[in-house]
Amino acid sequence: MLLSVDWDAFSATRELVFDAPIWGTSDREADRLKVWRERLRKRGGTDWSSLEHDFPLYPTWRALEQYAGVPTWVALSHAEAWSWLECFEPQDVLNIDSHHDLTSFSGDGTRVRPGNWAGLALAAGRITRYTCQYPAWHATLPVAEGYDLERTRLEVAALLAPELMPRVRLLRAGRDPRWPGRHRLNGILLVQSPAWTSPAHDPAFEELRHVLQAQVMTPPLVRVR
């Protein structure tokens, strides 16, 4: 089994924060830093810690430290996911994420992008079975994909080839997530997704990637005020 971890499963948002990226955002250079500076300005803050009330970091990320020693790669986004998959024989993938990454609602659906890498990899036989596990905090956020799993599954089924759906699972973690045993994992991909994750949490991300001794595919950002 392979484990993909998007930092946006832990670097989160609270309900009714209407300038949160979970309502919809692009992944451009400006979205990774400039837009976060604008969010800070709106809150009258002088450093990134002023974002913490609306954009908390959930401590469940600490559970990933148990995988120290498992081969790990780190990337800025899931744009590197196919290059990571090419390091392995086709096998099951568990993706801990705030987005299913199975299909995109716009643009060229045949081009590999962070929003559709998993669906295209399923179709190409690079993934045998795919599970997206949404974080527990999605249960309190109606706008989140993981709030209504049946609704999300219907949205995916309308765009993904029918023969692929039996190989897809959409789950939401409980308050005490069950993590796969390290003996089951052949590799880990750790993704920062800075357009969706608070700069206040960059130091924790850096700490995690060093604990996991992650090989760098694309350098993550350490954003300064």
Side-chain angles (χ1 to χ4, degrees):
M1 170 188 281
L2 299 175
L3 176 63
S4 164
V5 178
D6 197 313
W7 191 234
D8 70 8
F10 308 99
S11 182
T13 184
R14 299 193 193 280
E15 187 178 2
L16 303 180
V17 179
F18 294 109
D19 61 347
I22 200 166
W23 289 89
T25 191
S26 304
D27 186 17
R28 302 164 298 191
E29 289 298 323
D31 300 299
R32 296 172 176 179
L33 182 56
K34 182 180 178 181
V35 175
W36 282 104
R37 284 177 171 158
E38 178 62 18
R39 292 183 181 113
L40 180 63
R41 187 196 64 77
K42 287 180 180 178
R43 288 158 178 80
T46 58
D47 59 60
W48 297 127
S49 64
S50 301
L51 296 170
E52 197 64 22
H53 179 268
D54 287 344
F55 302 99
L57 178 64
Y58 284 92
T60 44
W61 70 270
R62 287 283 182 187
L64 292 163
E65 295 176 325
Q66 69 183 291
Y67 299 127
V70 177
T72 301
W73 288 257
V74 67
L76 193 66
S77 80
H78 267 122
E80 305 299 330
W82 265 52
S83 297
W84 172 65
L85 290 173
E86 288 172 354
C87 297
F88 306 95
E89 293 298 317
Q91 56 195 286
D92 293 359
V93 170
L94 170 62
N95 186 32
I96 309 295
D97 204 328
S98 279
H99 306 92
H100 54 66
D101 292 352
L102 284 163
T103 184
S104 299
F105 292 94
S106 62
D108 182 359
T110 64
R111 181 171 62 86
V112 177
R113 293 180 290 170
N116 67 1
W117 67 272
L120 292 181
L122 272 170
R126 298 302 311 161
I127 296 175
T128 51
R129 292 180 300 178
Y130 175 79
T131 299
C132 176
Q133 181 174 291
Y134 295 107
W137 57 268
H138 276 216
T140 65
L141 202 69
V143 71
E145 281 183 18
Y147 179 78
D148 184 338
L149 295 180
E150 182 59 28
R151 178 195 67 194
T152 301
R153 187 172 182 85
L154 289 173
E155 291 173 350
V156 171
L159 296 171
L160 205 64
E163 64 270 19
L164 299 181
M165 289 305 297
R167 294 159 55 196
V168 170
R169 288 196 307 166
L170 302 178
L171 307 175
R172 186 175 61 239
R175 291 192 176 185
D176 296 311
R178 297 180 62 185
W179 298 90
R182 56 179 291 121
H183 65 281
R184 297 179 59 198
L185 297 181
N186 296 314
I188 298 170
L189 178 63
L190 180 63
V191 171
Q192 184 185 24
S193 295
W196 287 270
T197 57
S198 170
H201 306 149
D202 290 353
F205 186 84
E206 282 291 292
E207 179 184 349
L208 178 60
R209 80 177 185 97
H210 284 297
V211 167
L212 297 179
Q213 298 181 317
Q215 303 176 53
V216 177
M217 301 185 76
T218 48
L221 300 181
V222 179
R223 292 164 286 186
V224 296
R225 176 66 185 92

